[in-house]
Amino acid sequence: NMQENGGGGQRGGEKEGAEDERVAIQGRKDCRSHAASLLLRLVGFSYLVAFTSVFLQAPGLYGPDGLQPIWRIEEGIKSSQQGFLWRLRPESLGVEEWLDLMCVIGMLVSSMTMCGMCSSPFFLVCWVLYQSIFLVGQTFLSFQWDIFLLEVGGLVLLFAPLTSYGSRRGPTQLSALCLHFCLFKIMLMSGVVKVQARCPTWMGLTALHYHYASQCIPTPLSWFAHQLPNFIQKLSVVGTFIIEIPAAFLILLPFRQARVWAAWLNIFLMVCIMLTGNYTFFNLLTATVCLSLLDDASFSWRWKKRTRRDKRPSRTPSKGLQNTTSVLHSEQFLKSLHELEGREWSLRSCTKSFMEVLGWSLPLCFLLVCSSFMFVFHHNQGSEWKGWRQECQDVAAMRTCLWKMLEFGLDVEVAFTEEEMDQWIETSLFWCIPMFFAHFLGQAVREAAQVYTTSRSILRRCW
């Protein structure tokens, strides 16, 4: 009986090991499923914020007595090819009621995507509705975030699964690359426009001295950010330039470590902007697109154990079989432990570790080199700093002097001109854009071959 139990336990252990291996292989294939699900839910939340905002402000903006009534442009919208929803309006409903109905439907569908129905048909409904509202939005829907929502919403149609069942599998790499390029475009343009505007506050690194007090809708934290020392304000502008211009090129590189650096840096910048200013869903949507640069390994502290626990088969073996299996597993563990103690570091493992450390450090070195060429840090020797330096002789005034050192003692200046920045960006685009499109083309060929192989095997089974 013990031999039978032992044999059964061994067979059970072999089956469990095969099952674990299958789960591990499936986990590698679905290494983007959780990050993609979070991205799709946040895009649905951005749609919800957009539809709700239009619904609440529509009477004052587009009503009969609004600032820009819809009835004035209704005929022009109906004649356009993109305004087919306006041609479907029943005669019993007015233009304003039809706009409110589209907003309500958009809020309901976007709420469904937030609840897990993250499939392409739901996002298609949201995109068509918001695109129709965008046509009549005129001045009040012509901002950067409205256009960006339509761009991201169109690409999400490729990124999202066709059905809710497909949401358990990760998206295709080809659709993720489309979102990467969209994020690269918005970040690089945001940084370059600050340089090409020839604004003395941006080139003098003093833009944040006025930004918190002059922005449209400041938050309660804006007052505290406005009180920061002069050097911290300038250092924040330096960080903005670094993240929006040099770090944007990390998005295009076909290396996971570079993309992870770019994702977290951009998410950090977007969170800081959201805390100190209200720009509706723009910063949230930008941080959401950054999730396309990440995989589930980037959230291993949250999802790795959960994925293994969810995918492990639920079996309840008998008590004798369970005891025999545990003894066999203990013997296998001790045997592997002795083998591990006697094993030396191989050249392959050392090379793999070195390449991994090198892959994580190279993007950081690239950003540090760019910052050293773009900006100059120096010690301020002005009269204000000399006066405060004399007060540092008193120990009780050390805290005040530290604050004043950041205010007057340290300084940073721009070390590039507009022409030099244009030349650097042109050279970087010359190398990064072909590399990105070569990676995009290779991924397209690879996924086309996978589709061909899968369809061929299905046809053989049907035949």
Side-chain angles (χ1 to χ4, degrees):
N1 190 13
M2 286 297 293
Q3 290 179 357
E4 292 178 358
N5 289 338
Q10 187 174 3
R11 287 192 297 272
E14 292 177 355
K15 291 181 179 179
E16 186 175 357
E19 183 70 19
D20 291 341
E21 185 178 359
R22 184 188 64 81
V23 169
I25 294 174
Q26 186 177 1
R28 287 195 296 269
K29 291 181 180 179
D30 300 345
C31 63
R32 301 175 59 88
S33 58
H34 293 293
S37 177
L38 180 60
L39 185 149
L40 295 175
R41 290 170 187 261
L42 290 177
V43 171
F45 178 73
S46 300
Y47 270 122
L48 178 61
V49 173
F51 285 120
T52 306
S53 177
V54 175
F55 178 76
L56 296 177
Q57 301 179 72
L61 297 179
Y62 309 115
D65 299 326
L67 298 177
Q68 291 183 332
I70 298 181
W71 60 267
R72 295 181 180 178
I73 61 171
E74 181 184 6
E75 296 300 329
I77 295 299
K78 286 184 177 181
S79 60
S80 64
Q81 297 180 356
Q82 299 173 339
F84 70 95
L85 283 183
W86 294 98
R87 292 193 293 270
L88 299 177
R89 178 178 66 86
E91 295 295 335
S92 58
L93 287 179
V95 184
E96 293 80 13
E97 289 79 6
W98 187 245
L99 176 63
D100 292 339
L101 180 60
M102 286 195 293
C103 291
V104 171
I105 295 175
M107 287 189 288
L108 292 176
V109 177
S110 58
S111 300
M112 293 170 67
T113 60
M114 290 176 56
C115 295
M117 299 182 182
C118 304
S119 56
S120 294
F122 290 96
F123 285 105
L124 179 61
V125 173
C126 292
W127 187 87
V128 171
L129 289 173
Y130 197 75
Q131 194 265 349
S132 300
I133 297 173
F134 176 78
L135 291 177
V136 300
Q138 305 171 68
T139 304
F140 300 102
L141 288 182
S142 60
F143 293 99
Q144 185 182 18
W145 43 81
D146 299 300
I147 302 173
F148 188 55
L149 179 59
L150 290 176
E151 291 181 355
V152 174
L155 295 176
V156 163
L157 298 178
L158 304 175
F159 189 81
L162 189 59
T163 60
S164 299
Y165 174 77
S167 61
R168 297 181 179 179
R169 295 175 293 179
T172 61
Q173 184 67 20
L174 204 61
S175 60
L177 289 177
C178 295
L179 287 174
H180 296 176
F181 192 80
C182 182
L183 178 64
F184 166 76
K185 185 196 70 171
I186 193 69
M187 296 307 300
L188 183 65
M189 291 174 61
S190 300
V192 171
V193 72
K194 295 177 176 62
V195 178
Q196 295 182 345
R198 298 180 179 178
C199 179
T201 58
W202 283 110
M203 297 303 292
L205 304 180
T206 59
L208 293 185
H209 291 70
Y210 318 100
H211 166 73
Y212 300 114
S214 60
Q215 60 181 331
C216 299
I217 309 178
T219 63
L221 293 178
S222 301
W223 185 88
F224 297 97
H226 185 70
Q227 310 303 320
L228 292 174
N230 175 61
F231 180 72
I232 300 298
Q233 302 280 16
K234 288 190 172 183
L235 195 63
S236 301
V237 181
V238 170
T240 303
F241 275 119
I242 294 296
I243 294 175
E244 291 184 344
I245 299 180
F249 288 94
L250 298 179
I251 300 173
L252 300 182
L253 297 181
F255 308 111
R256 176 181 175 271
Q257 293 86 347
R259 294 196 301 267
V260 171
W261 271 106
W264 288 118
L265 287 174
N266 283 284
I267 290 174
F268 172 75
L269 177 62
M270 294 300 115
V271 170
C272 291
I273 296 175
M274 283 190 288
L275 293 176
T276 56
N278 184 1
Y279 293 92
T280 183
F281 55 84
F282 180 52
N283 302 117
L284 175 64
L285 185 60
T286 306
T288 300
V289 179
C290 293
L291 295 177
S292 65
L293 300 170
L294 303 175
D295 50 20
D296 289 354
S298 304
F299 304 95
S300 57
W301 54 272
R302 175 66 180 86
W303 286 326
K304 191 173 182 180
K305 294 182 180 179
R306 174 184 170 185
T307 304
R308 290 179 178 176
R309 184 173 64 251
D310 294 343
K311 293 184 178 181
R312 185 176 294 277
S314 58
R315 295 190 299 269
T316 56
S318 62
K319 187 174 180 181
L321 179 61
Q322 187 175 3
N323 293 334
T324 307
T325 305
S326 61
V327 171
L328 290 175
H329 285 178
S330 301
E331 292 178 357
Q332 292 176 1
F333 173 75
L334 293 175
K335 183 178 179 180
S336 61
L337 186 62
H338 288 302
E339 292 178 356
L340 185 62
E341 290 177 352
R343 185 182 301 171
E344 297 180 355
W345 285 97
S346 61
L347 180 62
R348 179 179 297 179
S349 61
C350 293
T351 305
K352 184 179 179 181
S353 301
F354 173 76
M355 294 303 295
E356 185 176 358
V357 173
L358 186 65
W360 285 109
S361 59
L362 280 180
L364 180 60
C365 295
F366 167 74
L367 296 179
L368 292 176
V369 170
C370 291
S371 61
S372 65
F373 282 102
M374 293 173 63
F375 305 99
V376 175
F377 295 84
H378 60 86
H379 186 70
N380 193 357
Q381 297 294 338
S383 58
E384 294 178 336
W385 164 246
K386 291 181 179 179
W388 284 105
R389 187 178 180 182
Q390 295 177 358
E391 295 186 6
C392 289
Q393 303 299 329
D394 187 6
V395 179
M398 287 297 294
R399 183 178 179 182
T400 305
C401 289
L402 179 61
W403 186 270
K404 292 302 177 181
M405 181 182 69
L406 297 176
E407 183 72 27
F408 303 112
L410 301 177
D411 199 4
V412 56
E413 295 179 354
V414 172
F416 61 88
T417 61
E418 181 183 352
E419 292 76 14
E420 292 175 345
M421 177 58 68
D422 292 341
Q423 183 65 30
W424 184 86
I425 293 176
E426 182 179 355
T427 305
S428 301
L429 289 175
F430 177 80
W431 290 103
C432 290
I433 294 296
M435 183 186 303
F436 174 80
F437 280 105
H439 179 52
F440 184 88
L441 182 60
Q443 194 65 36
V445 172
R446 180 182 178 184
E447 293 187 5
Q450 291 178 354
V451 170
Y452 173 76
T453 305
T454 305
S455 60
R456 186 177 180 182
S457 61
I458 292 175
L459 290 176
R460 283 184 176 179
R461 291 179 182 179
C462 295
W463 185 261

